[in-house]
Amino acid sequence: MREGLTVALGAQRYRVERPWGDLPATPGGISDVACDAAGRVYVQYRTDPMVDPPSPGVVVLSAEGARLAAWGESIADGHMLTVHPDGRVFVVDRDAQEVVIFAATGERLGGIGTRHGPGAPFNAPCDVAFAPDGTIYVADGYANARVHRFAPDGTPQGGWGAPGRGPGEFCTPHSVWVQPDGTVLVCDRDNSRVQAFSPAGAFLFEVTDVHKPMDVHGGPDGTFYVTDQVPRLSWFAGDGRLLGRCRPVLNGAHGMWRDPRSGVIYQSELNPNRLTRLVPL
């Protein structure tokens, strides 16, 4: 029997488990992962609607990895997804120009943006996150360089960003996360940095010790994690100081999520196509 793998972030060690979960073999790539308050795991599949046959865009697993459900055949190009604290699932349907809102059971509840309407307001959006007060932030994205801000009911509240390399400018804002104190973290992927902003968009600081960061996600006590294309997973203090670093996946995780109940960190890989789980030891 081959030995298992162990990685560390600071003093915390993790057992590497991969491939993890009863995931179906479909034409889609495993693009993102998120957990709900009960620990259920939502796995985002990305397909090309022009050539791939219809298949579920979201697969739901138990915390033990058993397949519970699969839904979302209407998703055109699921890029990233996030589970709202109330259990709704927000899927960023990138090439359809919409953030689609689903019930946890897969029924469509609504959406933000104009479906198949580029520029109204999205242009190939990437990610969505929620502030503690319910404000919604969308990183937009591949053909835009902007962070949009919405009220909890989806009413537009402006935003910020423009193409460039200066503070508040972006080259592919690929992921967004909001910290418990309201700080907005944005993976400015092709500028190889993570930028931090106030809730209204004022620049606070940047982390440049990352290479094409793919996803940012909150950790315990106001810390945060960043996965990049080195590939590696980095753990930062709330002010951007490096706390730990490891290489838990083969070619870099496109998405990730930390289950606050267990401390398990999930990593979604596109090459090879699988889910990796880091279990605290």
Side-chain angles (χ1 to χ4, degrees):
M1 178 179 294
R2 305 186 73 174
E3 291 185 271
L5 299 177
T6 303
V7 297
L9 288 171
Q12 179 63 62
R13 290 176 170 261
Y14 296 86
R15 181 177 68 252
V16 179
E17 297 180 352
R18 65 177 185 232
W20 183 84
D22 179 20
L23 293 171
T26 77
I30 298 173
S31 188
D32 200 12
V33 59
C35 298
D36 66 13
R40 288 181 290 264
V41 182
Y42 294 75
V43 183
Q44 176 74 71
Y45 275 75
R46 184 198 306 178
T47 58
D48 183 344
M50 304 301 294
V51 298
D52 292 329
S55 61
V58 176
V59 175
V60 186
L61 305 176
S62 71
E64 295 71 39
R67 195 186 313 173
L68 302 177
W71 46 261
E73 288 83 357
S74 63
I75 299 169
D77 175 49
H79 186 258
M80 285 182 165
L81 83 169
T82 303
V83 180
H84 192 279
D86 66 13
R88 292 177 295 163
V89 181
F90 285 59
V91 173
V92 179
D93 202 350
R94 179 179 56 179
D95 286 349
Q97 318 291 349
E98 184 184 27
V99 178
V100 188
I101 306 170
F102 293 95
T105 49
E107 295 85 9
R108 180 185 167 112
L109 301 176
I112 302 173
T114 303
R115 191 161 185 82
H116 300 299
F122 303 132
N123 200 351
C126 294
D127 196 15
V128 58
F130 312 108
D133 66 359
T135 300
I136 302 167
Y137 293 86
V138 177
D140 180 30
Y142 278 89
N144 205 350
R146 187 167 177 80
V147 173
H148 300 269
R149 192 169 181 260
F150 299 90
D153 65 358
T155 301
Q157 292 187 326
W160 67 91
R165 300 184 180 277
E169 298 176 339
F170 303 108
C171 184
T172 319
H174 193 264
S175 175
V176 61
W177 180 262
V178 187
Q179 294 286 74
D181 66 358
T183 298
V184 181
L185 301 172
V186 182
C187 281
D188 187 9
R189 187 185 70 183
D190 292 282
N191 280 328
S192 285
R193 63 183 178 179
V194 175
Q195 296 192 66
F197 301 94
S198 74
F203 176 81
L204 301 176
F205 65 88
E206 66 180 8
V207 175
T208 58
D209 184 21
V210 288
H211 175 64
K212 293 192 174 182
M214 301 294 282
D215 200 5
V216 56
H217 187 81
D221 303 318
T223 62
F224 60 94
Y225 303 96
V226 178
T227 178
D228 69 13
Q229 293 185 33
V230 169
R232 59 194 176 183
L233 174 64
S234 301
W235 182 34
F236 294 97
D239 61 2
R241 290 177 294 112
L242 182 66
L243 300 175
R245 179 166 276 162
C246 63
R247 182 184 182 272
V249 297
L250 203 61
N251 293 310
H254 186 267
M256 67 175 161
W257 194 274
R258 178 183 182 270
D259 184 348
R261 306 182 321 150
S262 62
V264 169
I265 299 174
Y266 296 91
Q267 303 254 286
S268 61
E269 299 180 72
L270 286 164
N271 179 29
N273 199 34
R274 64 189 179 187
L275 202 60
T276 290
R277 192 169 83 143
L278 307 181
V279 181
L281 296 175

